Amino acid sequence: MDMMETFRQTYLEESFEGLDVMETGLLELPPGKPDNEKINEIFRAAHSIKGGSGTFGFSEIAGFTHVLETLLDEMRDDRRDVTQESIDAMLAAVDILRDMLTKLQNHEPIDEERASQVQSVLEAILGGEESPQTTAESSDQTPVIEASGGDWNIQIIPDKSLLQTGNEPLRIFRELETLGTLQVSADWEGLPNSSTFDPESLYMKWDLTLSGDSVKEDDINEVFEWIDGDGAEIKISAPVTEAKPVENVAAPVVEKTPAPATSATSEPVAAKPAPKAPSKPAAKAAENKAPKQEGSIRVDLSKIDQMVNLVGELVITQSMLSQFGEQAEQSSENSKEANMEWVDKLKEGLTHLERHTRELQESVMNIRMLPVSFAFNRMPRIVHDVSQKLGKQIELVMEGEGTELDKTMLEQLTDPLVHIVRNSIDHGIENPAVRTAAGKPEQGIVKMAAFHQGGNILIQITDDGAGIDYRKIEAKAIEKGVIEEDHNLNKDEIVDLIFHAGFSTADVVSDISGRGVGMDVVRRNIRGLGGSVDVKTTIGEGSVFTIRLPLTLAILDGQLCSVGSQTYVFPLISIIESIQVDKAHVKGIAGETELYKLRDSYIPVIRLHKKLGIQDAQEDLSDGLLVVVEDAGQRAGVFVDDLLGQQQVVIKSLESNFMKIEGIAGATILGDGTVSLILDVSETVSSHKGGNAKVNVA
């Protein structure tokens, strides 16, 4: 990747962060008199996006952001109150900008029609609402000056060293083009002959003419703020305006034109939006389509320093071990006592190596860890949009946003969280009238919390709504043939049916929920991350969805088990206990299905050697062990020959390196160099033919 492409990607990443700031600020912005602190925060983010867009030739971004920036500018100058209409329009503009930036990041053409629709809404707000300041001044006897537009003359006299500071005049010209029509005339008189020419120096000057009804001097100055005074002398001549008094009336008619521009007398005037520049950069990008860029992570410098120090320790340890090896060869004929001394030193060196390797591993994994707030930050917008659409009042409470999780997992966690939150608002939280009748506050609460528990991350989504009526789920499940009328499922197992594919209790299908394509996807995606999801509910009080995830996808704590001559790895998080088999507790039903009575319940027995086709394994249950595992509330006993020990293993994808095998999550290389397969406990339990057997336990 060349340097310019690197800068381009950095700008795009920073712009996405700016959009997050804008969205958060808009959601927290109350209607009424503008909150200057919030407005300034939103304005700075929008201005940064616009300023950088000109540098890279993203004229569509600059033109679109200009209208948004004008609206914000009126608010921060107390010339316009904040309304819910303007907040919704600016949130829609944030969505458009995010889509534009995503398309540019992927070198795809921008959807200009959609952007134009939202821009028209912003322009209508600008032209259709009159600011308080304008109203006050219109009632005064002071005549208002109306600008007639004109040409701005700009002279650029750069220092010879301007190029060496990283400034590029062509990009400055592109930024000026977003303000109006630009004409450039170059002055070559200072160009030396070839004998004294320095290719790193700049000898040219430029005379520019910028035309446009809405061009303001502040906008021009912003373009040159990085070079004016330090890298160049900038002379700007304002256009000569034709001033004509406008007759004052009690109720002035506001022209249907957007933002006010600055006239020669600095009075507020009506103006038009900046003309949209032709979309040449986007078209060019579409023609030269490049592959999508890999994601990046911003890493704290202290984490890098820690890694560098650990690598240094590893180099020292490696050098020490090499020296021991050389000295051991030279002293091979020494006494037994001397050789034992070298063995002790070698063991000490290996201990150091093991410790440093573990610390380096933890340090590298720590780099991939990001706060869960990256996934949580999307939820305020979801709650805002869905609650408005449904006419409900929702308060979103977030806790533990600083809890860290692997970046890859965070990216795949967002969609399941969105599904759960939307369902909590739609199905869980009641309408204000219903809540009032039930003695609850009109405003419902959705709470998201993340915290550590053991070696896992738990994310809980809680609502204080109506809860999940298991009787309604039971009736719908029987109606659809998911379960039989004479089933033996308890309340929790019936509620768990909401995760069944295609299952929904919604009476009306909407674009929010009710199609039965949400909760089964949630469970499947979370299982794909090596985690689990379950729900606890109380009718009339609310529900709690709990997502349990490992800290990372790359390394897991495993339990090694032998089956015949093969070694398999069970994820330690899935194991409840391991027991020796008492044949008196084994029952056989439905032909080959075996059940084992574990205390007060029966669990299916899965003979792993039969499932995987291993010939030299133990056949008699009393000669092996049952590893009791749990997935989605369902327990099973997996029969193995023996337990070998626990260790951390590095997961390698079997599907990408070989092929997908049912019941196998991946593979790892053990210390002796052999390959061991890692069991997919979820798939193993769910695919077992006795897993859903109906058993009456006396």
Side-chain angles (χ1 to χ4, degrees), residues 54-55 167-177 182 206:
T55 302
N167 287 288
E168 171 57 59
L170 183 59
R171 294 175 192 149
I172 296 173
F173 300 158
R174 287 174 180 166
E175 175 67 13
L176 289 171
E177 281 183 327
L182 183 68
W206 291 275

Side-chain angles (χ1 to χ4, degrees), residues 77-94:
D77 289 343
D78 290 329
R79 289 183 278 127
R80 178 184 295 275
D81 286 342
V82 179
T83 64
Q84 189 60 51
E85 180 189 4
S86 60
I87 291 174
D88 292 342
M90 288 188 287
L91 283 171
V94 168

Side-chain angles (χ1 to χ4, degrees), residues 211-479:
S211 306
D213 293 339
S214 63
V215 178
K216 296 191 291 185
E217 188 171 1
D218 286 346
D219 292 337
I220 299 174
N221 287 329
E222 285 176 7
V223 174
F224 294 106
E225 63 183 346
W226 292 106
I227 64 171
D228 191 11
D230 294 328
E233 181 183 355
I234 310 298
K235 297 179 180 179
I236 303 174
S237 301
V240 178
T241 57
E242 181 182 337
K244 55 181 179 180
V246 178
E247 184 179 355
N248 292 319
V249 292
V253 178
V254 181
E255 296 182 21
K256 295 293 182 178
T257 51
T262 304
S263 70
T265 56
S266 300
E267 292 288 333
V269 296
K272 297 178 181 178
K276 288 184 65 177
S279 50
K280 292 179 181 177
K284 184 177 180 181
E287 291 171 8
N288 304 310
K289 193 168 182 179
K292 293 185 179 182
Q293 302 296 326
E294 294 292 335
S296 61
I297 305 176
R298 291 194 175 188
V299 181
D300 191 285
L301 192 59
S302 63
K303 294 182 178 181
I304 301 296
D305 291 339
Q306 183 184 15
M307 281 188 61
V308 172
N309 292 335
L310 287 171
V311 170
E313 294 291 340
L314 279 173
V315 171
I316 293 172
T317 303
Q318 185 267 338
S319 177
M320 180 176 64
L321 289 172
S322 297
Q323 185 179 5
F324 288 161
E326 293 173 1
Q327 293 176 345
E329 289 179 2
Q330 295 172 3
S331 60
S332 58
E333 297 180 359
N334 289 350
S335 63
K336 183 177 180 181
E337 291 77 7
N339 287 334
M340 289 301 298
E341 182 180 348
W342 288 117
V343 170
D344 291 338
K345 289 184 178 181
L346 181 61
K347 288 181 178 179
E348 181 184 355
L350 291 172
T351 302
H352 289 169
L353 180 63
E354 181 181 1
R355 183 176 70 250
H356 295 325
T357 303
R358 173 60 67 91
E359 290 175 354
L360 182 61
Q361 169 197 309
E362 293 174 353
S363 179
V364 171
M365 297 311 303
N366 196 31
I367 285 180
R368 293 183 56 87
M369 305 297 277
L370 293 175
V372 75
S373 59
F374 279 80
F376 278 16
N377 286 344
R378 281 190 60 185
M379 301 309 139
R381 179 66 186 279
I382 299 293
V383 172
H384 172 272
D385 292 349
V386 176
S387 59
Q388 273 201 336
K389 192 164 190 174
L390 297 175
K392 297 180 180 181
Q393 300 176 24
I394 309 292
E395 177 188 0
L396 177 64
V397 179
M398 295 189 292
E399 296 179 356
E401 300 102 312
T403 306
E404 291 190 326
L405 195 61
D406 188 283
K407 178 179 183 290
T408 304
M409 300 182 73
L410 273 177
E411 292 171 348
Q412 300 179 44
L413 181 64
T414 303
D415 285 344
L417 287 178
V418 168
H419 275 300
I420 295 175
V421 170
R422 287 167 69 96
N423 274 328
S424 294
I425 299 172
D426 189 15
H427 293 303
I429 304 294
E430 312 95 327
N431 290 320
V434 177
R435 291 180 63 86
T436 302
K440 295 181 179 181
E442 286 189 357
Q443 187 178 56
I445 297 176
V446 174
K447 178 181 176 182
M448 301 182 68
F451 53 91
H452 289 270
Q453 188 178 85
N456 304 297
I457 296 289
L458 262 65
I459 298 176
Q460 289 186 333
I461 301 95
T462 308
D463 68 69
D464 66 343
I468 302 174
D469 190 342
Y470 76 93
R471 293 163 298 192
K472 186 176 181 181
I473 294 174
E474 181 182 31
K476 184 72 73 171
I478 293 173
E479 176 189 331

Side-chain angles (χ1 to χ4, degrees), residues 47-112:
H47 184 65
S48 297
I49 293 171
K50 176 188 171 185
S53 64
T55 302
F56 298 98
F58 299 154
S59 56
E60 298 93 340
I61 299 285
F64 183 84
T65 313
H66 179 81
V67 183
L68 176 61
E69 194 179 49
T70 303
L71 182 58
L72 290 166
D73 194 33
E74 287 191 8
M75 291 178 179
R76 70 173 186 165
D77 289 343
D78 290 329
R79 289 183 278 127
R80 178 184 295 275
D81 286 342
V82 179
T83 64
Q84 189 60 51
E85 180 189 4
S86 60
I87 291 174
D88 292 342
M90 288 188 287
L91 283 171
V94 168
D95 293 339
I96 292 296
L97 285 171
R98 184 175 281 114
D99 181 66
M100 282 182 167
L101 291 167
T102 301
K103 293 286 177 55
L104 290 170
Q105 189 175 44
N106 298 333
H107 298 273
E108 298 174 356
I110 287 174
D111 186 353
E112 294 187 19

